[in-house]
Amino acid sequence: MAITGSILIGNEEIVGTAGTQRAVNPATNAEMEPVFGGGTLEDVDRACTLAARDFDAFRNAPLETRARLLETIADNLMALGDELIERAMAESGLPRPRLEGERGRTCGQLRLFASLVREGRFLNVTVDTALPDRQPLPRADLRSRKIPVGPVAVFGASNFPLAFSVAGGDTAAALAAGCPVIAKSHPSHLGTSELAGRAIQQAVATLGLPEGVFSLLVGVGNEVGAALVQHPAVQSVAFTGSRRGGQALMALAAARPQPVPVFAEMSSINPLFLLPAALEIRGAAIAAGLVSSATLGVGQFCTKPGLIFGIAGPAFDAFKIAATDWISAAASATMLNSGIQQAFAHGVGALGKASGVKKLGEGAEATHSTAAQPTLFETTALEFIANPKLSEEVFGPAALVIECRNADEMVKLANQFEGQLTATMHLEAEDHALAARLLPVLERKAGRIVVNGFPTGVEVSYAMVHGGPFPSTSDARATSVGAMAIERFLRPVCYQDFPAELLPTELQDEHLAEHARLVDGKLYTA
Amino acid sequence: MAITGSILIGNEEIVGTAGTQRAVNPATNAEMEPVFGGGTLEDVDRACTLAARDFDAFRNAPLETRARLLETIADNLMALGDELIERAMAESGLPRPRLEGERGRTCGQLRLFASLVREGRFLNVTVDTALPDRQPLPRADLRSRKIPVGPVAVFGASNFPLAFSVAGGDTAAALAAGCPVIAKSHPSHLGTSELAGRAIQQAVATLGLPEGVFSLLVGVGNEVGAALVQHPAVQSVAFTGSRRGGQALMALAAARPQPVPVFAEMSSINPLFLLPAALEIRGAAIAAGLVSSATLGVGQFCTKPGLIFGIAGPAFDAFKIAATDWISAAASATMLNSGIQQAFAHGVGALGKASGVKKLGEGAEATHSTAAQPTLFETTALEFIANPKLSEEVFGPAALVIECRNADEMVKLANQFEGQLTATMHLEAEDHALAARLLPVLERKAGRIVVNGFPTGVEVSYAMVHGGPFPSTSDARATSVGAMAIERFLRPVCYQDFPAELLPTELQDEHLAEHARLVDGKLYTA
């Protein structure tokens, strides 16, 4: 499939006329073909208007069609074969195995959502039967289900050009809910975005669904994205990226005449707490695992462990020595783009100069301007408390080890965090008392708590929570990974005393048993 | 129980020192005893700090204790007997049967939430079992449940001094979720608020729960409310009231360093669509029902039908005549307070003077300055489209009848509404085709769709949705009435590879069967 530098509006492809943009290969800094034309505000309006026009037709299409749409997108992505992988490699600097794995994950989540759509539990079918003889007043027949909120704007992330971008988790969840999607291409992987967008555009056509179900915009500068968030047709926004970017979209969405929710996944430093017995028994293994997790994907994961807390003593000293050995052996690698590399260099530079912060060790020197040198720092709890800048996310292969004087100090520090996607404890049975003190704090601060593992590697499953209190996300009640992600794009509607003929199919008596349901407060499985 | 004009901070009662306030009897405009002292910003901080301090202890108390707290609050409200009813009557102008009914509803929703807490479905227990042998990577053991978000600020409504106020639905839902509540007394029913607050304060003590579970603030002016929404300990805000008030709180909450969600239930005009066959067959009965619904509780319900659409013709003319007869027979009655009466008088005055709007009829003249005269207006679809002000809510016993030239015009008008709590259709079998055209529009616009009934009378049940797109509420995904209201105050947390001893009880293998749960994607009932 040729990449033409187009934007996709419904079933059309056009070359935008508002400026031009090219993808850049971060490994070579070379600009890539083709030129991409930026969309105009009229293009934004057309895409959004189509989405609004076709919303009812899409949401009322059979659930089987919606499920097959998701599966067809996955099939189409696979059919792109090496073209997709090679373009994503060139645009992101990520290696083939990582991107092949990410493609598998992307298709896996599309298929998971297809299975959710077929199963229909997300409809939240609820019936309160009429009580015509109730005193003093009869009760009406009340039935509710969840319906999609409307067109969703999707802003993908640079660090997952497949799984968190145009055909990624947000798009899959929104389409599964029955929401048309207007995606914005990430400037860091324009060609990958176009290929994924075409895979979706084709799937929409194959299923005979109306074209407004999906559009893909390219924007030079921030105007297109801002106009998308402000468009009256857009009813929800999904974003993965920086705290600054997420907060800008939140402000735009809140200032609309009709405010809409923004689900922004933004910023997390993912603290690790190394409890004394665990350090004593397997400190060296933890050090190896930590460095591996912090440098995985060049440290460019939302769940990279960035702060490591331990309690002063010989075991913690040994851990630091082992971690220094591992980081010293770590390779340099290409980051996603030069902006991210510069931010990383700035963050590492600031840490290196911060009062009371010492460099523990660093990996291979960067071999070119977009590469990162893995680096491990250390400081004390007192310095950490004194300098709030030390708890800011440094996106990339760097981490800060913090020495606490005792368990109380560790618990105190845990209480001072902002919201996190994850928090991790390494512990043994002897550590349970301290873990039980940390746990309620971590529950309040994080969406996922990991024991004896590392936070990178986010399973796409039913129990997964990839979300957490602000600023890790804009809404702690949501997750952007896993089955629960569909909830973001649904709202309940209640039907009172409807004749059967007008009821949505799934709420009609003869179809109730097809889905899980709550009848007069009692739960039934499908 | 004596009303002392106090604010309740944890288990203390103090008289606020920041200004004074008195309740006013709207039927006589007489100021009532006692004087209420306004809380200071220090009082706000103390209440919020206590709530944050005791949050973990409250949320980790046994579910049975939480359920009994809700039931004990209901018992304590009932034990207040006539004192509560008479104070609420004096402060609200509402008659005894209404307030006795509202007390029943208030206790009923507390008991409904108690049953939800015991049942535990709200925990959303979800387990993905470990797959240690999976290739290429093993899957961890992942378990998630929902936990409360943290302290909730509750702002009650003037029009439900019991059911939507201090011990009302928002407080019941928040406590059921495990969130401490800091309520603000409504200035229109300060004494009723204090009585309800004491009922809660006593229940917290009776159950041996920590005092920070509940506080009740009084505020002279808006400072206390603003400080409450801005306090870092507060994690969610529930509000029922005017659009202006709700939007002010939304702006404050969005501007916090850590933004928090606001669930504001604000403004709805609740359109009724009278379809041709229904009008033909039972227009007179619809007219009677409409006027009864629009004047119920002096028209002071969020779900009062405010706009009535029909198609020009003899049946519609006959309906208008019947409605005019009914409104002419309607009594005048005391409104909740003079501010609401003035807003009503202003709204009715503006409608009366609007171009193309005609007064169809009016009820008995107001007998005193805080009373309202029920009034029915009519206009045409063309005028209605030309003047957006005609679709603004007039809170009180007034409604506007709109004549459409044909079915297309009716569907067109439906498309132009802002978000609504409810929409209603009166229809017969012959009307189903038109109803099927209106239905997708109404689903997009409203949280509840009523057939052949009237929207007033909101059942507290499982399927109820009392919410809808902006501006009817701030978040269409939520309801403030019914079992689903608890969802507003919950967020998911995932536990990865936890040893059983550290897992929350409900996620431990031997306790899983106690609650409804999803295991490897399969739903099981308790």
Side-chain angles (χ1 to χ4, degrees), chain A residues 56 59 128 134 145 257 440 443-444 446-449 451 459 461-463 470 477 490-491 494-496, chain B residues 56 59 128 134 145 257 440 443-444 446-449 451 459 461 463 470 477 490-491 494-496 518:
Chain A
D56 284 345
R59 71 185 175 95
D128 299 324
R134 191 182 64 174
R145 62 162 181 170
E443 286 177 321
R444 280 190 271 110
R448 178 165 55 109
I449 306 167
V451 167
E459 188 73 33
S461 67
Y462 298 92
F470 185 90
R477 292 172 305 133
L490 296 166
R491 50 173 276 259
C494 177
Y495 303 80
Q496 179 170 326
Chain B
D56 284 344
R59 71 186 175 93
D128 299 325
R134 191 181 64 173
R145 62 161 182 171
E443 287 177 320
R444 279 190 272 108
R448 177 165 58 109
I449 307 168
V451 167
E459 188 73 33
S461 67
F470 184 89
R477 293 173 303 131
L490 296 166
R491 51 175 276 261
C494 177
Y495 303 80
Q496 180 169 327
L518 195 70

Side-chain angles (χ1 to χ4, degrees), chain A residues 57-58 60-76 114 117-118 175 198-211 213:
Chain A
F58 180 44
N60 289 322
L63 292 182
E64 177 60 24
T65 305
R66 213 190 282 176
R68 283 175 52 215
L69 171 67
L70 293 161
E71 290 164 345
T72 306
I73 294 169
D75 293 344
N76 291 354
V117 168
R118 284 203 181 87
L175 292 176
R198 287 175 185 275
I200 302 175
Q201 187 187 49
Q202 285 182 357
V204 170
T206 302
L207 271 297
L209 285 164
E211 58 176 324
V213 168

Side-chain angles (χ1 to χ4, degrees), chain B residues 20-248:
Chain B
T20 61
Q21 211 171 18
R22 279 176 189 266
V24 173
N25 182 326
T28 62
N29 291 332
E31 293 203 323
M32 296 171 69
E33 294 298 333
V35 170
F36 284 78
T40 63
L41 299 185
E42 289 68 32
D43 295 331
V44 175
D45 183 57
R46 273 206 304 144
C48 294
T49 302
L50 274 185
R53 183 197 75 184
D54 292 341
F55 172 44
D56 284 344
F58 180 45
R59 71 186 175 93
N60 289 324
L63 291 182
E64 177 60 24
T65 305
R66 214 190 281 176
R68 283 173 54 213
L69 171 67
L70 293 161
E71 290 164 344
T72 305
I73 295 169
D75 293 342
N76 290 354
L77 288 173
M78 290 310 296
L80 285 166
D82 252 15
E83 185 184 5
L84 181 67
I85 298 297
E86 283 167 8
R87 180 78 191 192
M89 287 168 64
E91 289 185 329
S92 70
L94 295 170
R96 176 179 289 274
R98 152 69 196 269
L99 286 167
E100 287 180 348
E102 189 179 326
R103 180 179 60 183
R105 175 206 179 100
T106 308
C107 294
Q109 64 197 3
L110 286 159
R111 294 184 200 283
L112 173 70
F113 281 111
S115 76
L116 286 183
V117 169
R118 284 204 182 87
E119 186 221 9
R121 197 169 41 84
F122 76 97
L123 294 165
N124 209 39
V125 168
T126 306
V127 177
D128 299 325
T129 50
L131 301 172
D133 300 325
R134 191 181 64 173
Q135 291 302 326
L137 288 170
R139 181 169 82 179
D141 179 283
L142 295 165
R143 298 172 188 234
S144 66
R145 62 161 182 171
K146 289 199 172 174
I147 71 166
V149 294
V152 174
V154 170
F155 292 81
S158 60
N159 62 341
F160 280 92
L162 302 174
F164 272 91
S165 192
V166 174
D170 289 334
T171 296
L175 292 176
C179 298
V181 166
I182 307 117
K184 184 178 165 295
S185 277
H186 197 289
S188 196
H189 51 264
L190 293 163
T192 308
S193 294
E194 184 179 323
L195 289 171
R198 287 176 186 275
I200 302 174
Q201 187 188 49
Q202 284 182 356
V204 170
T206 301
L207 270 297
L209 285 164
E211 57 176 323
V213 167
F214 178 76
S215 291
L216 173 67
L217 299 170
V218 172
V220 178
N222 293 328
E223 270 196 7
V224 161
L228 184 53
V229 171
Q230 292 172 313
H231 197 284
V234 167
Q235 294 300 302
S236 190
V237 178
F239 167 89
T240 306
S242 70
R243 182 169 179 171
R244 205 170 71 171
Q247 290 196 262

